[in-house]
Amino acid sequence: MSVMFDRLAHLFERGHAAPSPDLLTDARFADLDRTADAAVLIAVTEREDPTVLLTQRPRTMRDHPGQVAFPGGKLDHGEDPVEAALREAWEELGIERDHVRIIGTTDRYQTGTGFDITPVLATVPPDLPIRPDPREVESWFEAPLSLLMQPESWRENEVFWKGAMRRYYELDHQGYRIWGVTAAICINLSRRLAWTD
């Protein structure tokens, strides 16, 4: 076991031992008749200063075009969230499942665009050979875990959407705007992990 895996697994278990009442969700905007189950992989690199692998979706995609995202997508028939997250990481970035060490699934996030997302936290070796599929990934990058897990990193904004005010969070990292669903999943995880450098 790596030190990083052990540390994350300990924080994950401790943080999920009790309910968290202040998690973000867009459930009030969701059309429950059109919701699809999905999963994303939160892949933390096993570095001394760990990072998280993120992608930018092509601007031609139907759902969330051009947005920063975790590798992930809809569950195929018969898949569970872990299987789906591993498959999507392979399809999008060429990450072999043997390189992924699963810690666990964290709080589901209901989007206003029709997805019920289960985030899967895992670690991966540093400097994996990444082979992005250009049909699904415009670019990819790593963001420091410490940046994503610190509440003060995020700016809070509001927008009028689907007949109501929607609160959302964002931050800029090396020219990438991390916001929306990806930001909300990061913030929810930060409320579970209590990560400090």
Side-chain angles (χ1 to χ4, degrees), residues 75-128:
L75 272 63
D76 284 348
H77 180 72
E79 279 186 324
D80 65 31
V82 171
E83 292 168 336
L86 290 172
R87 174 182 53 76
E88 290 284 351
W90 165 251
E91 291 175 0
E92 293 182 18
L93 295 176
I95 298 175
E96 296 182 20
R97 63 181 57 226
D98 291 347
H99 290 147
V100 182
R101 300 178 65 195
I102 302 296
I103 293 171
T105 59
T106 187
D107 302 285
R108 290 164 44 195
Y109 186 84
Q110 187 93 39
T111 77
T113 54
F115 296 98
D116 189 346
I117 301 172
T118 300
V120 179
L121 182 65
T123 63
V124 295
D127 305 315
L128 274 176

Side-chain angles (χ1 to χ4, degrees), residues 168-179:
Y168 69 94
Y169 294 84
E170 65 180 318
L171 69 80
D172 294 310
H173 175 67
Q174 296 182 348
Y176 290 98
R177 180 184 181 218
I178 305 170
W179 71 291

